[in-house]
Amino acid sequence: MKRNIFIIIAFLVLFGQTFYAQTVNTDSYNTASVSIKFYDKTMYYPNSTDTNPVFVHISVKNNGSDTLRFKLADDRMFSLDFNAYTIKNTQLEQTDSLIRKRTTNQTVYFREISLENGEEYSFVENLKDYLIIGEPSIYYIELNFYPELYKSNKIKLVSNRLTLEVRPSPSVASSSIIPIKSDTAEILKPEEISPDKVVEQTITARQKSLWDQYFLYMDIESMIERTPAAKRKFRSVSADERQKMIETYKSDLMESRIDGDIVAVPEKFQIEKTVYSQTEGSVLVTEWFNNRTYYEKKSYTYEVRQRDGVWQIYDYTVVNLGTE
């Protein structure tokens, strides 16, 4: 009888210690927070995990007065989860590599991080390593961080929410027909040339009515979104409807039904000034238009930005300079 009582007491003590340890672990993270933001934000497209990653900057911060200790796996897939939802609240699926790692028996190596009051620890992860982003859409992203690792228990810290816009792939959005040079049948590909050369080639292509070359360095989607109403409409429709809007816009430009200034054909032009940083720039150009008895002179400012090493025109303004 005494032996049974001893066993029961020992079990209760062990259970109490386990429960207490779990409570301490949980409570110790009440003053911790995790936040996310886009790292080196650019234009995002479906798939293309390596060539078009979605890098997210993750920060774990200690907001309390006591030292915060947590575990961080060498393979971060055992420390965090990304969740993404469409505007219709459909959740994106996890990648095969993530599922495979989570369902395979293996040793998870980690290190313990200690943070004092106000300190934070940050790192960067590629969202596309965790989730399958196969379609252009608007997604809402959040992060679950597991300070005691994913397999140990499900204590988690939930981050703020980000809005991720994934656009149609350039190969799809640029044209339904592959642009080629008419004289050589060579497939046209944008080159890593300077902003002034981009503008020069675009204007020259317009002078010669070489439409495939004219659209080669133009961000058509951004051109469509130049007005607030068009931007709202373009972003609210499906991927198929966006593609139709792109083709209609290009057709309207070619027929000079819209944006007459951007498709006007100058007889001559001169690049006056080019200013640009690593990602943004502008090119100032003076253009002369022949109206038979006089020349109309205009100043164009072409706004450009860089994506994957290629500069694209995404906006423009025009100032009339009179006649000559």
Side-chain angles (χ1 to χ4, degrees):
M1 183 67 179
K2 290 182 178 180
R3 183 172 179 274
N4 290 338
I5 292 174
F6 176 78
I7 293 174
I8 293 172
I9 293 173
F11 174 78
L12 291 174
V13 170
L14 179 62
F15 176 80
Q17 289 176 339
T18 302
F19 177 79
Y20 175 75
Q22 290 179 345
T23 302
V24 170
N25 282 336
T26 303
D27 292 344
S28 65
Y29 300 115
N30 287 342
T31 57
S33 64
V34 60
S35 61
I36 58 175
K37 63 182 180 180
F38 291 113
Y39 179 81
D40 193 22
K41 190 173 183 179
T42 182
M43 297 183 188
Y44 302 115
Y45 303 98
N47 304 312
S48 305
T49 302
D50 296 325
T51 58
N52 183 236
V54 180
F55 286 127
V56 178
H57 183 273
I58 303 163
S59 294
V60 182
K61 184 176 182 179
N62 180 12
N63 301 306
S65 56
D66 296 329
T67 301
L68 171 68
R69 293 182 175 85
F70 61 90
K71 298 172 183 175
L72 184 66
D74 293 347
D75 185 340
R76 305 284 166 71
M77 288 187 175
F78 293 101
S79 281
L80 57 93
D81 266 327
F82 283 102
N83 296 319
Y85 302 87
T86 67
I87 55 178
K88 296 182 179 180
N89 206 34
T90 302
Q91 188 169 0
L92 290 185
E93 296 181 358
Q94 295 178 328
T95 60
D96 291 338
S97 60
L98 176 61
I99 295 173
R100 187 165 53 251
K101 286 182 179 182
R102 294 268 181 87
T103 56
T104 302
N105 287 329
Q106 59 179 294
T107 302
V108 178
Y109 296 96
F110 66 90
R111 53 180 171 153
E112 187 173 87
I113 308 293
S114 298
L115 298 178
E116 300 301 327
N117 171 252
E119 292 183 341
E120 60 183 69
Y121 184 88
S122 301
F123 53 95
V124 176
E125 286 292 294
N126 182 5
L127 175 67
K128 289 184 177 179
D129 287 335
Y130 294 77
L131 298 175
I132 300 173
I133 305 177
E135 298 292 335
S137 184
I138 302 293
Y139 299 99
Y140 303 105
I141 312 297
E142 64 183 18
L143 173 82
N144 289 338
F145 180 74
Y146 305 105
E148 292 295 326
L149 304 183
Y150 176 81
K151 287 189 173 182
S152 299
N153 56 56
K154 291 302 178 69
I155 299 174
K156 67 181 180 181
L157 303 175
V158 181
S159 75
N160 56 301
R161 178 171 285 194
L162 298 178
T163 300
L164 170 68
E165 180 184 3
V166 178
R167 298 188 171 196
S169 299
S171 58
V172 174
S174 59
S175 176
S176 58
I177 301 175
I178 298 175
I180 61 174
K181 293 182 180 178
S182 57
D183 53 345
T184 63
E186 178 186 351
I187 297 176
L188 286 174
K189 294 182 179 179
E191 300 176 351
E192 295 184 10
I193 56 179
S194 61
D196 57 322
K197 289 296 182 182
V198 164
V199 172
E200 178 183 346
Q201 289 194 22
T202 300
I203 297 175
T204 301
R206 180 64 191 97
Q207 288 177 321
K208 298 178 180 181
S209 295
L210 300 174
W211 289 107
D212 286 334
Q213 295 183 34
Y214 176 75
F215 291 125
L216 191 61
Y217 293 101
M218 191 174 292
D219 184 346
I220 299 296
E221 295 181 17
S222 294
M223 295 294 286
I224 292 174
E225 294 180 347
R226 291 180 69 237
T227 65
K231 183 175 182 179
R232 285 194 299 270
K233 181 179 179 181
F234 187 77
R235 296 194 177 192
S236 65
V237 300
S238 66
D240 289 340
E241 290 173 316
R242 286 188 182 189
Q243 180 60 32
K244 291 179 182 178
M245 289 181 67
I246 289 170
E247 296 304 323
T248 299
Y249 179 82
K250 291 169 68 175
S251 177
D252 287 343
L253 279 183
M254 293 168 67
E255 297 295 329
S256 297
R257 289 192 289 261
I258 58 173
D259 288 355
D261 284 322
I262 193 67
V263 290
V265 184
E267 183 169 297
K268 59 181 180 178
F269 66 92
Q270 178 176 309
I271 295 178
E272 306 288 355
K273 184 179 181 181
T274 303
V275 179
Y276 61 97
S277 64
Q278 290 185 343
T279 57
E280 296 273 344
S282 63
V283 181
L284 180 65
V285 184
T286 301
E287 301 183 25
W288 288 265
F289 300 87
N290 191 344
N291 287 315
R292 295 185 180 181
T293 58
Y294 65 92
Y295 280 98
E296 190 175 4
K297 186 178 179 182
K298 296 183 179 182
S299 177
Y300 280 71
T301 301
Y302 296 91
E303 303 295 337
V304 296
R305 60 187 168 208
Q306 188 185 105
R307 181 181 61 79
D308 297 332
V310 175
W311 290 94
Q312 290 184 315
I313 299 169
Y314 71 91
D315 198 359
Y316 73 96
T317 55
V318 184
V319 177
N320 290 319
L321 299 180
T323 60
E324 291 183 354

mmCIF file with all atom_site columns, all heavy atoms in Angstrom, residues 246-268:
data_model
loop_
_atom_site.group_PDB
_atom_site.id
_atom_site.type_symbol
_atom_site.label_atom_id
_atom_site.label_alt_id
_atom_site.label_comp_id
_atom_site.label_asym_id
_atom_site.label_entity_id
_atom_site.label_seq_id
_atom_site.pdbx_PDB_ins_code
_atom_site.Cartn_x
_atom_site.Cartn_y
_atom_site.Cartn_z
_atom_site.occupancy
_atom_site.B_iso_or_equiv
_atom_site.pdbx_formal_charge
_atom_site.auth_seq_id
_atom_site.auth_comp_id
_atom_site.auth_asym_id
_atom_site.auth_atom_id
_atom_site.pdbx_PDB_model_num
ATOM 1   N N   . ILE A 1 246 ? -4.315 44.059 -71.358 1.00 0.00 ? 246 ILE A N   1
ATOM 2   C CA  . ILE A 1 246 ? -2.979 44.354 -71.871 1.00 0.00 ? 246 ILE A CA  1
ATOM 3   C C   . ILE A 1 246 ? -2.979 44.363 -73.395 1.00 0.00 ? 246 ILE A C   1
ATOM 4   O O   . ILE A 1 246 ? -2.453 45.285 -74.033 1.00 0.00 ? 246 ILE A O   1
ATOM 5   C CB  . ILE A 1 246 ? -1.959 43.324 -71.339 1.00 0.00 ? 246 ILE A CB  1
ATOM 6   C CG1 . ILE A 1 246 ? -1.718 43.549 -69.837 1.00 0.00 ? 246 ILE A CG1 1
ATOM 7   C CG2 . ILE A 1 246 ? -0.642 43.407 -72.103 1.00 0.00 ? 246 ILE A CG2 1
ATOM 8   C CD1 . ILE A 1 246 ? -0.929 42.453 -69.172 1.00 0.00 ? 246 ILE A CD1 1
ATOM 9   N N   . GLU A 1 247 ? -3.597 43.337 -73.986 1.00 0.00 ? 247 GLU A N   1
ATOM 10  C CA  . GLU A 1 247 ? -3.636 43.266 -75.444 1.00 0.00 ? 247 GLU A CA  1
ATOM 11  C C   . GLU A 1 247 ? -4.461 44.405 -76.039 1.00 0.00 ? 247 GLU A C   1
ATOM 12  O O   . GLU A 1 247 ? -4.109 44.967 -77.088 1.00 0.00 ? 247 GLU A O   1
ATOM 13  C CB  . GLU A 1 247 ? -4.207 41.909 -75.878 1.00 0.00 ? 247 GLU A CB  1
ATOM 14  C CG  . GLU A 1 247 ? -3.349 40.713 -75.479 1.00 0.00 ? 247 GLU A CG  1
ATOM 15  C CD  . GLU A 1 247 ? -1.926 40.826 -75.988 1.00 0.00 ? 247 GLU A CD  1
ATOM 16  O OE1 . GLU A 1 247 ? -1.722 41.331 -77.113 1.00 0.00 ? 247 GLU A OE1 1
ATOM 17  O OE2 . GLU A 1 247 ? -1.004 40.429 -75.254 1.00 0.00 ? 247 GLU A OE2 1
ATOM 18  N N   . THR A 1 248 ? -5.558 44.756 -75.358 1.00 0.00 ? 248 THR A N   1
ATOM 19  C CA  . THR A 1 248 ? -6.383 45.872 -75.834 1.00 0.00 ? 248 THR A CA  1
ATOM 20  C C   . THR A 1 248 ? -5.617 47.179 -75.757 1.00 0.00 ? 248 THR A C   1
ATOM 21  O O   . THR A 1 248 ? -5.675 48.014 -76.679 1.00 0.00 ? 248 THR A O   1
ATOM 22  C CB  . THR A 1 248 ? -7.672 45.972 -74.999 1.00 0.00 ? 248 THR A CB  1
ATOM 23  O OG1 . THR A 1 248 ? -8.429 44.764 -75.148 1.00 0.00 ? 248 THR A OG1 1
ATOM 24  C CG2 . THR A 1 248 ? -8.531 47.144 -75.453 1.00 0.00 ? 248 THR A CG2 1
ATOM 25  N N   . TYR A 1 249 ? -4.891 47.384 -74.670 1.00 0.00 ? 249 TYR A N   1
ATOM 26  C CA  . TYR A 1 249 ? -4.103 48.612 -74.504 1.00 0.00 ? 249 TYR A CA  1
ATOM 27  C C   . TYR A 1 249 ? -3.053 48.733 -75.609 1.00 0.00 ? 249 TYR A C   1
ATOM 28  O O   . TYR A 1 249 ? -2.891 49.802 -76.215 1.00 0.00 ? 249 TYR A O   1
ATOM 29  C CB  . TYR A 1 249 ? -3.431 48.614 -73.133 1.00 0.00 ? 249 TYR A CB  1
ATOM 30  C CG  . TYR A 1 249 ? -2.582 49.834 -72.863 1.00 0.00 ? 249 TYR A CG  1
ATOM 31  C CD1 . TYR A 1 249 ? -3.152 51.026 -72.436 1.00 0.00 ? 249 TYR A CD1 1
ATOM 32  C CD2 . TYR A 1 249 ? -1.201 49.793 -73.054 1.00 0.00 ? 249 TYR A CD2 1
ATOM 33  C CE1 . TYR A 1 249 ? -2.368 52.153 -72.201 1.00 0.00 ? 249 TYR A CE1 1
ATOM 34  C CE2 . TYR A 1 249 ? -0.408 50.902 -72.820 1.00 0.00 ? 249 TYR A CE2 1
ATOM 35  C CZ  . TYR A 1 249 ? -1.001 52.088 -72.391 1.00 0.00 ? 249 TYR A CZ  1
ATOM 36  O OH  . TYR A 1 249 ? -0.232 53.194 -72.181 1.00 0.00 ? 249 TYR A OH  1
ATOM 37  N N   . LYS A 1 250 ? -2.352 47.638 -75.881 1.00 0.00 ? 250 LYS A N   1
ATOM 38  C CA  . LYS A 1 250 ? -1.330 47.661 -76.924 1.00 0.00 ? 250 LYS A CA  1
ATOM 39  C C   . LYS A 1 250 ? -1.955 47.930 -78.292 1.00 0.00 ? 250 LYS A C   1
ATOM 40  O O   . LYS A 1 250 ? -1.412 48.688 -79.100 1.00 0.00 ? 250 LYS A O   1
ATOM 41  C CB  . LYS A 1 250 ? -0.567 46.343 -76.922 1.00 0.00 ? 250 LYS A CB  1
ATOM 42  C CG  . LYS A 1 250 ? 0.297  46.156 -75.687 1.00 0.00 ? 250 LYS A CG  1
ATOM 43  C CD  . LYS A 1 250 ? 0.839  44.747 -75.559 1.00 0.00 ? 250 LYS A CD  1
ATOM 44  C CE  . LYS A 1 250 ? 1.828  44.414 -76.621 1.00 0.00 ? 250 LYS A CE  1
ATOM 45  N NZ  . LYS A 1 250 ? 2.445  43.085 -76.418 1.00 0.00 ? 250 LYS A NZ  1
ATOM 46  N N   . SER A 1 251 ? -3.091 47.310 -78.535 1.00 0.00 ? 251 SER A N   1
ATOM 47  C CA  . SER A 1 251 ? -3.785 47.530 -79.809 1.00 0.00 ? 251 SER A CA  1
ATOM 48  C C   . SER A 1 251 ? -4.232 48.981 -79.952 1.00 0.00 ? 251 SER A C   1
ATOM 49  O O   . SER A 1 251 ? -4.093 49.591 -81.021 1.00 0.00 ? 251 SER A O   1
ATOM 50  C CB  . SER A 1 251 ? -4.980 46.590 -79.918 1.00 0.00 ? 251 SER A CB  1
ATOM 51  O OG  . SER A 1 251 ? -5.715 46.823 -81.096 1.00 0.00 ? 251 SER A OG  1
ATOM 52  N N   . ASP A 1 252 ? -4.746 49.548 -78.849 1.00 0.00 ? 252 ASP A N   1
ATOM 53  C CA  . ASP A 1 252 ? -5.193 50.943 -78.870 1.00 0.00 ? 252 ASP A CA  1
ATOM 54  C C   . ASP A 1 252 ? -4.021 51.900 -79.087 1.00 0.00 ? 252 ASP A C   1
ATOM 55  O O   . ASP A 1 252 ? -4.162 52.927 -79.761 1.00 0.00 ? 252 ASP A O   1
ATOM 56  C CB  . ASP A 1 252 ? -5.922 51.288 -77.573 1.00 0.00 ? 252 ASP A CB  1
ATOM 57  C CG  . ASP A 1 252 ? -7.304 50.659 -77.490 1.00 0.00 ? 252 ASP A CG  1
ATOM 58  O OD1 . ASP A 1 252 ? -7.827 50.238 -78.542 1.00 0.00 ? 252 ASP A OD1 1
ATOM 59  O OD2 . ASP A 1 252 ? -7.861 50.576 -76.371 1.00 0.00 ? 252 ASP A OD2 1
ATOM 60  N N   . LEU A 1 253 ? -2.873 51.565 -78.510 1.00 0.00 ? 253 LEU A N   1
ATOM 61  C CA  . LEU A 1 253 ? -1.686 52.385 -78.742 1.00 0.00 ? 253 LEU A CA  1
ATOM 62  C C   . LEU A 1 253 ? -1.283 52.349 -80.215 1.00 0.00 ? 253 LEU A C   1
ATOM 63  O O   . LEU A 1 253 ? -0.979 53.378 -80.820 1.00 0.00 ? 253 LEU A O   1
ATOM 64  C CB  . LEU A 1 253 ? -0.515 51.896 -77.886 1.00 0.00 ? 253 LEU A CB  1
ATOM 65  C CG  . LEU A 1 253 ? -0.450 52.328 -76.412 1.00 0.00 ? 253 LEU A CG  1
ATOM 66  C CD1 . LEU A 1 253 ? 0.814  51.797 -75.771 1.00 0.00 ? 253 LEU A CD1 1
ATOM 67  C CD2 . LEU A 1 253 ? -0.515 53.836 -76.260 1.00 0.00 ? 253 LEU A CD2 1
ATOM 68  N N   . MET A 1 254 ? -1.281 51.164 -80.788 1.00 0.00 ? 254 MET A N   1
ATOM 69  C CA  . MET A 1 254 ? -0.871 51.000 -82.180 1.00 0.00 ? 254 MET A CA  1
ATOM 70  C C   . MET A 1 254 ? -1.818 51.735 -83.135 1.00 0.00 ? 254 MET A C   1
ATOM 71  O O   . MET A 1 254 ? -1.407 52.183 -84.204 1.00 0.00 ? 254 MET A O   1
ATOM 72  C CB  . MET A 1 254 ? -0.800 49.518 -82.524 1.00 0.00 ? 254 MET A CB  1
ATOM 73  C CG  . MET A 1 254 ? 0.313  48.774 -81.770 1.00 0.00 ? 254 MET A CG  1
ATOM 74  S SD  . MET A 1 254 ? 0.215  46.975 -81.898 1.00 0.00 ? 254 MET A SD  1
ATOM 75  C CE  . MET A 1 254 ? 0.555  46.738 -83.636 1.00 0.00 ? 254 MET A CE  1
ATOM 76  N N   . GLU A 1 255 ? -3.082 51.853 -82.728 1.00 0.00 ? 255 GLU A N   1
ATOM 77  C CA  . GLU A 1 255 ? -4.067 52.554 -83.555 1.00 0.00 ? 255 GLU A CA  1
ATOM 78  C C   . GLU A 1 255 ? -4.196 54.029 -83.160 1.00 0.00 ? 255 GLU A C   1
ATOM 79  O O   . GLU A 1 255 ? -5.057 54.744 -83.693 1.00 0.00 ? 255 GLU A O   1
ATOM 80  C CB  . GLU A 1 255 ? -5.429 51.875 -83.430 1.00 0.00 ? 255 GLU A CB  1
ATOM 81  C CG  . GLU A 1 255 ? -5.467 50.437 -83.948 1.00 0.00 ? 255 GLU A CG  1
ATOM 82  C CD  . GLU A 1 255 ? -5.216 50.351 -85.433 1.00 0.00 ? 255 GLU A CD  1
ATOM 83  O OE1 . GLU A 1 255 ? -5.587 51.312 -86.155 1.00 0.00 ? 255 GLU A OE1 1
ATOM 84  O OE2 . GLU A 1 255 ? -4.654 49.338 -85.897 1.00 0.00 ? 255 GLU A OE2 1
ATOM 85  N N   . SER A 1 256 ? -3.354 54.466 -82.193 1.00 0.00 ? 256 SER A N   1
ATOM 86  C CA  . SER A 1 256 ? -3.356 55.858 -81.707 1.00 0.00 ? 256 SER A CA  1
ATOM 87  C C   . SER A 1 256 ? -4.715 56.282 -81.160 1.00 0.00 ? 256 SER A C   1
ATOM 88  O O   . SER A 1 256 ? -5.132 57.431 -81.293 1.00 0.00 ? 256 SER A O   1
ATOM 89  C CB  . SER A 1 256 ? -2.933 56.812 -82.838 1.00 0.00 ? 256 SER A CB  1
ATOM 90  O OG  . SER A 1 256 ? -1.616 56.530 -83.245 1.00 0.00 ? 256 SER A OG  1
ATOM 91  N N   . ARG A 1 257 ? -5.398 55.330 -80.517 1.00 0.00 ? 257 ARG A N   1
ATOM 92  C CA  . ARG A 1 257 ? -6.700 55.646 -79.928 1.00 0.00 ? 257 ARG A CA  1
ATOM 93  C C   . ARG A 1 257 ? -6.557 56.191 -78.508 1.00 0.00 ? 257 ARG A C   1
ATOM 94  O O   . ARG A 1 257 ? -7.474 56.822 -77.989 1.00 0.00 ? 257 ARG A O   1
ATOM 95  C CB  . ARG A 1 257 ? -7.590 54.396 -79.933 1.00 0.00 ? 257 ARG A CB  1
ATOM 96  C CG  . ARG A 1 257 ? -8.071 53.984 -81.324 1.00 0.00 ? 257 ARG A CG  1
ATOM 97  C CD  . ARG A 1 257 ? -9.162 52.938 -81.229 1.00 0.00 ? 257 ARG A CD  1
ATOM 98  N NE  . ARG A 1 257 ? -8.647 51.649 -80.799 1.00 0.00 ? 257 ARG A NE  1
ATOM 99  C CZ  . ARG A 1 257 ? -8.373 50.645 -81.637 1.00 0.00 ? 257 ARG A CZ  1
ATOM 100 N NH1 . ARG A 1 257 ? -8.565 50.793 -82.945 1.00 0.00 ? 257 ARG A NH1 1
ATOM 101 N NH2 . ARG A 1 257 ? -7.915 49.500 -81.193 1.00 0.00 ? 257 ARG A NH2 1
ATOM 102 N N   . ILE A 1 258 ? -5.439 55.927 -77.854 1.00 0.00 ? 258 ILE A N   1
ATOM 103 C CA  . ILE A 1 258 ? -5.201 56.392 -76.481 1.00 0.00 ? 258 ILE A CA  1
ATOM 104 C C   . ILE A 1 258 ? -3.757 56.862 -76.358 1.00 0.00 ? 258 ILE A C   1
ATOM 105 O O   . ILE A 1 258 ? -2.901 56.536 -77.194 1.00 0.00 ? 258 ILE A O   1
ATOM 106 C CB  . ILE A 1 258 ? -5.466 55.281 -75.435 1.00 0.00 ? 258 ILE A CB  1
ATOM 107 C CG1 . ILE A 1 258 ? -4.575 54.067 -75.715 1.00 0.00 ? 258 ILE A CG1 1
ATOM 108 C CG2 . ILE A 1 258 ? -6.933 54.889 -75.415 1.00 0.00 ? 258 ILE A CG2 1
ATOM 109 C CD1 . ILE A 1 258 ? -4.633 53.005 -74.651 1.00 0.00 ? 258 ILE A CD1 1
ATOM 110 N N   . ASP A 1 259 ? -3.480 57.612 -75.287 1.00 0.00 ? 259 ASP A N   1
ATOM 111 C CA  . ASP A 1 259 ? -2.112 58.059 -74.970 1.00 0.00 ? 259 ASP A CA  1
ATOM 112 C C   . ASP A 1 259 ? -1.370 58.546 -76.207 1.00 0.00 ? 259 ASP A C   1
ATOM 113 O O   . ASP A 1 259 ? -0.279 58.082 -76.546 1.00 0.00 ? 259 ASP A O   1
ATOM 114 C CB  . ASP A 1 259 ? -1.318 56.917 -74.306 1.00 0.00 ? 259 ASP A CB  1
ATOM 115 C CG  . ASP A 1 259 ? -1.792 56.647 -72.898 1.00 0.00 ? 259 ASP A CG  1
ATOM 116 O OD1 . ASP A 1 259 ? -2.656 57.399 -72.404 1.00 0.00 ? 259 ASP A OD1 1
ATOM 117 O OD2 . ASP A 1 259 ? -1.312 55.680 -72.276 1.00 0.00 ? 259 ASP A OD2 1
ATOM 118 N N   . GLY A 1 260 ? -1.965 59.513 -76.883 1.00 0.00 ? 260 GLY A N   1
ATOM 119 C CA  . GLY A 1 260 ? -1.398 60.013 -78.130 1.00 0.00 ? 260 GLY A CA  1
ATOM 120 C C   . GLY A 1 260 ? 0.022  60.518 -77.997 1.00 0.00 ? 260 GLY A C   1
ATOM 121 O O   . GLY A 1 260 ? 0.833  60.399 -78.931 1.00 0.00 ? 260 GLY A O   1
ATOM 122 N N   . ASP A 1 261 ? 0.382  61.064 -76.853 1.00 0.00 ? 261 ASP A N   1
ATOM 123 C CA  . ASP A 1 261 ? 1.725  61.618 -76.675 1.00 0.00 ? 261 ASP A CA  1
ATOM 124 C C   . ASP A 1 261 ? 2.803  60.547 -76.709 1.00 0.00 ? 261 ASP A C   1
ATOM 125 O O   . ASP A 1 261 ? 3.887  60.765 -77.255 1.00 0.00 ? 261 ASP A O   1
ATOM 126 C CB  . ASP A 1 261 ? 1.802  62.392 -75.361 1.00 0.00 ? 261 ASP A CB  1
ATOM 127 C CG  . ASP A 1 261 ? 1.109  63.752 -75.445 1.00 0.00 ? 261 ASP A CG  1
ATOM 128 O OD1 . ASP A 1 261 ? 1.217  64.384 -76.505 1.00 0.00 ? 261 ASP A OD1 1
ATOM 129 O OD2 . ASP A 1 261 ? 0.465  64.151 -74.461 1.00 0.00 ? 261 ASP A OD2 1
ATOM 130 N N   . ILE A 1 262 ? 2.521  59.401 -76.101 1.00 0.00 ? 262 ILE A N   1
ATOM 131 C CA  . ILE A 1 262 ? 3.553  58.372 -76.009 1.00 0.00 ? 262 ILE A CA  1
ATOM 132 C C   . ILE A 1 262 ? 3.796  57.687 -77.354 1.00 0.00 ? 262 ILE A C   1
ATOM 133 O O   . ILE A 1 262 ? 4.874  57.165 -77.618 1.00 0.00 ? 262 ILE A O   1
ATOM 134 C CB  . ILE A 1 262 ? 3.203  57.321 -74.927 1.00 0.00 ? 262 ILE A CB  1
ATOM 135 C CG1 . ILE A 1 262 ? 4.416  56.424 -74.603 1.00 0.00 ? 262 ILE A CG1 1
ATOM 136 C CG2 . ILE A 1 262 ? 2.024  56.472 -75.344 1.00 0.00 ? 262 ILE A CG2 1
ATOM 137 C CD1 . ILE A 1 262 ? 5.546  57.148 -73.944 1.00 0.00 ? 262 ILE A CD1 1
ATOM 138 N N   . VAL A 1 263 ? 2.794  57.696 -78.227 1.00 0.00 ? 263 VAL A N   1
ATOM 139 C CA  . VAL A 1 263 ? 2.968  57.045 -79.537 1.00 0.00 ? 263 VAL A CA  1
ATOM 140 C C   . VAL A 1 263 ? 3.159  58.048 -80.671 1.00 0.00 ? 263 VAL A C   1
ATOM 141 O O   . VAL A 1 263 ? 3.271  57.658 -81.824 1.00 0.00 ? 263 VAL A O   1
ATOM 142 C CB  . VAL A 1 263 ? 1.773  56.117 -79.865 1.00 0.00 ? 263 VAL A CB  1
ATOM 143 C CG1 . VAL A 1 263 ? 1.778  54.903 -78.967 1.00 0.00 ? 263 VAL A CG1 1
ATOM 144 C CG2 . VAL A 1 263 ? 0.467  56.874 -79.778 1.00 0.00 ? 263 VAL A CG2 1
ATOM 145 N N   . ALA A 1 264 ? 3.185  59.334 -80.351 1.00 0.00 ? 264 ALA A N   1
ATOM 146 C CA  . ALA A 1 264 ? 3.448  60.332 -81.389 1.00 0.00 ? 264 ALA A CA  1
ATOM 147 C C   . ALA A 1 264 ? 4.836  60.097 -81.977 1.00 0.00 ? 264 ALA A C   1
ATOM 148 O O   . ALA A 1 264 ? 5.772  59.700 -81.276 1.00 0.00 ? 264 ALA A O   1
ATOM 149 C CB  . ALA A 1 264 ? 3.348  61.733 -80.794 1.00 0.00 ? 264 ALA A CB  1
ATOM 150 N N   . VAL A 1 265 ? 4.972  60.332 -83.274 1.00 0.00 ? 265 VAL A N   1
ATOM 151 C CA  . VAL A 1 265 ? 6.226  60.040 -83.970 1.00 0.00 ? 265 VAL A CA  1
ATOM 152 C C   . VAL A 1 265 ? 7.035  61.314 -84.185 1.00 0.00 ? 265 VAL A C   1
ATOM 153 O O   . VAL A 1 265 ? 6.666  62.161 -85.013 1.00 0.00 ? 265 VAL A O   1
ATOM 154 C CB  . VAL A 1 265 ? 5.956  59.370 -85.334 1.00 0.00 ? 265 VAL A CB  1
ATOM 155 C CG1 . VAL A 1 265 ? 7.279  58.976 -85.992 1.00 0.00 ? 265 VAL A CG1 1
ATOM 156 C CG2 . VAL A 1 265 ? 5.062  58.158 -85.158 1.00 0.00 ? 265 VAL A CG2 1
ATOM 157 N N   . PRO A 1 266 ? 8.130  61.490 -83.469 1.00 0.00 ? 266 PRO A N   1
ATOM 158 C CA  . PRO A 1 266 ? 8.946  62.690 -83.673 1.00 0.00 ? 266 PRO A CA  1
ATOM 159 C C   . PRO A 1 266 ? 9.824  62.537 -84.913 1.00 0.00 ? 266 PRO A C   1
ATOM 160 O O   . PRO A 1 266 ? 10.266 61.444 -85.250 1.00 0.00 ? 266 PRO A O   1
ATOM 161 C CB  . PRO A 1 266 ? 9.797  62.743 -82.404 1.00 0.00 ? 266 PRO A CB  1
ATOM 162 C CG  . PRO A 1 266 ? 9.952  61.310 -82.009 1.00 0.00 ? 266 PRO A CG  1
ATOM 163 C CD  . PRO A 1 266 ? 8.665  60.632 -82.388 1.00 0.00 ? 266 PRO A CD  1
ATOM 164 N N   . GLU A 1 267 ? 10.051 63.635 -85.578 1.00 0.00 ? 267 GLU A N   1
ATOM 165 C CA  . GLU A 1 267 ? 10.972 63.595 -86.723 1.00 0.00 ? 267 GLU A CA  1
ATOM 166 C C   . GLU A 1 267 ? 12.411 63.505 -86.240 1.00 0.00 ? 267 GLU A C   1
ATOM 167 O O   . GLU A 1 267 ? 13.263 62.875 -86.854 1.00 0.00 ? 267 GLU A O   1
ATOM 168 C CB  . GLU A 1 267 ? 10.783 64.822 -87.601 1.00 0.00 ? 267 GLU A CB  1
ATOM 169 C CG  . GLU A 1 267 ? 11.665 64.796 -88.846 1.00 0.00 ? 267 GLU A CG  1
ATOM 170 C CD  . GLU A 1 267 ? 11.291 65.859 -89.843 1.00 0.00 ? 267 GLU A CD  1
ATOM 171 O OE1 . GLU A 1 267 ? 10.155 65.826 -90.364 1.00 0.00 ? 267 GLU A OE1 1
ATOM 172 O OE2 . GLU A 1 267 ? 12.138 66.734 -90.108 1.00 0.00 ? 267 GLU A OE2 1
ATOM 173 N N   . LYS A 1 268 ? 12.666 64.158 -85.118 1.00 0.00 ? 268 LYS A N   1
ATOM 174 C CA  . LYS A 1 268 ? 13.993 64.061 -84.506 1.00 0.00 ? 268 LYS A CA  1
ATOM 175 C C   . LYS A 1 268 ? 13.852 64.223 -82.995 1.00 0.00 ? 268 LYS A C   1
ATOM 176 O O   . LYS A 1 268 ? 12.843 64.726 -82.499 1.00 0.00 ? 268 LYS A O   1
ATOM 177 C CB  . LYS A 1 268 ? 14.932 65.116 -85.072 1.00 0.00 ? 268 LYS A CB  1
ATOM 178 C CG  . LYS A 1 268 ? 14.471 66.547 -84.870 1.00 0.00 ? 268 LYS A CG  1
ATOM 179 C CD  . LYS A 1 268 ? 15.450 67.544 -85.478 1.00 0.00 ? 268 LYS A CD  1
ATOM 180 C CE  . LYS A 1 268 ? 14.971 68.990 -85.275 1.00 0.00 ? 268 LYS A CE  1
ATOM 181 N NZ  . LYS A 1 268 ? 15.935 69.966 -85.826 1.00 0.00 ? 268 LYS A NZ  1
#
